[in-house]
Amino acid sequence: MFIVLDGIDGGGKSTQIERLAGRLRDRGETVVCCADPGTTAAGLQIRQLLLNRADIALAPLTELMLFFAARAQLVAEVIAPALAAGQTVVCDRFLLSSVVYQGHLGQIPPAQIWELGQRLFGDCQPDLTLVLDLPVPLAATRTQRALDRIESRGAAYLESVRQAYLSAAAAWPDAIRLVDASPSADVVAEQIAAEVAARATARVTERRACS
Ligand code: TYD
């Protein structure tokens, strides 16, 4: 399975990725964790340009294409080989982040970004994208580190990011599931495990129906 965790910062993505990976490994699965943008050498260079170089201007389409470039490398180098080997992939952000940040919050129609991703990444689409959702003030109390170029756009911006995730989840309910990230990490981990188990069962049923 290919599982993505996404959502506003402060939702506990990193903690939950570790917990989910640990839980799946305990069940005997080989799990590959990765991050978009990042993980590959090219992706990390692109990430620097995207997030840490406020001195370099990027037009909206340039920004989108750079996120796609980092993602294409991640798919080619990490995700596709892992899936082909029957491994489970857990990824920190993926296509939905571009739909939200460069689409809803940017200048490019969100549906076009979603469709472009479907076309470009073919068989390497996430089986499930989980959005860790919580109110922005609560998320802010959980974020300790310095904000990057996109996050430092302000609290009102972060609220619109949250609303954009909610809209996207409503638009593509089969692909995107909301998880309430307000409770403790233990409770959130249980919700995530339940969503992943439900999707795994649905996949088995679909395969049986096809064969
Ligand atoms: P993140 O993975 O959360 O990195 P970190 O936890 O180290 O900050 O996200 C990096 C930033 O990039 C985040 O502000 C969201 C943004 N982003 C986009 O704007 N578009 C995208 O397609 C992706 C994947 C991320």
Side-chain angles (χ1 to χ4, degrees):
M1 287 234 303
F2 175 14
I3 302 153
V4 172
L5 266 68
D6 208 326
I8 58 172
D9 276 291
K13 269 190 296 124
S14 312
T15 307
Q16 293 301 335
I17 286 169
E18 269 177 39
R19 292 215 182 189
L20 175 62
R23 197 182 272 253
L24 296 171
R25 284 183 186 122
D26 288 346
R27 282 184 8 195
E29 293 183 35
T30 302
V31 182
V32 173
C33 293
C34 53
D36 181 16
T39 303
T40 68
L44 289 167
Q45 291 286 322
I46 296 168
R47 182 185 170 91
Q48 281 297 319
L49 177 56
L50 278 164
L51 302 178
N52 299 328
R53 294 300 304 266
D55 55 319
I56 297 178
L58 294 175
L61 190 55
T62 313
E63 184 177 287
L64 177 70
M65 292 298 113
L66 285 171
F67 277 113
F68 265 99
R71 187 168 303 132
Q73 193 61 30
L74 184 62
V75 167
E77 233 178 86
V78 179
I79 297 174
L83 295 177
Q87 298 167 351
T88 299
V89 175
V90 181
C91 192
D92 184 341
R93 301 188 185 276
F94 197 68
L95 177 63
L96 176 59
S97 281
S98 291
V99 171
V100 164
Y101 291 90
Q102 284 69 52
H104 286 275
L105 282 306
Q107 296 178 25
I108 301 172
Q112 278 185 16
I113 300 176
W114 183 259
E115 282 153 24
L116 181 64
Q118 308 295 311
R119 272 196 233 132
L120 289 179
F121 302 124
D123 291 341
C124 287
Q125 305 295 337
D127 292 291
L128 183 60
T129 297
L130 293 168
V131 173
L132 302 189
D133 176 61
L134 77 175
V136 168
L138 178 58
T141 64
R142 294 183 181 175
T143 312
Q144 304 294 326
R145 58 171 179 68
L147 300 180
D148 65 38
R149 152 151 125 173
I150 286 171
E151 294 159 344
S152 59
R153 289 172 183 169
Y157 180 79
L158 290 180
E159 184 56 48
S160 38
V161 175
R162 183 187 183 206
Q163 294 307 321
Y165 275 110
L166 297 177
S167 304
W172 295 290
D174 292 341
I176 304 167
R177 302 279 303 163
L178 288 177
V179 171
D180 178 8
S182 311
S184 70
D186 286 346
V187 173
V188 177
E190 289 302 325
Q191 292 181 63
I192 290 174
E195 290 287 353
V196 170
R199 185 53 55 106
T201 307
R203 267 172 49 113
V204 171
T205 313
E206 278 162 24
R207 283 214 195 110
R208 283 206 188 118
C210 290
S211 59

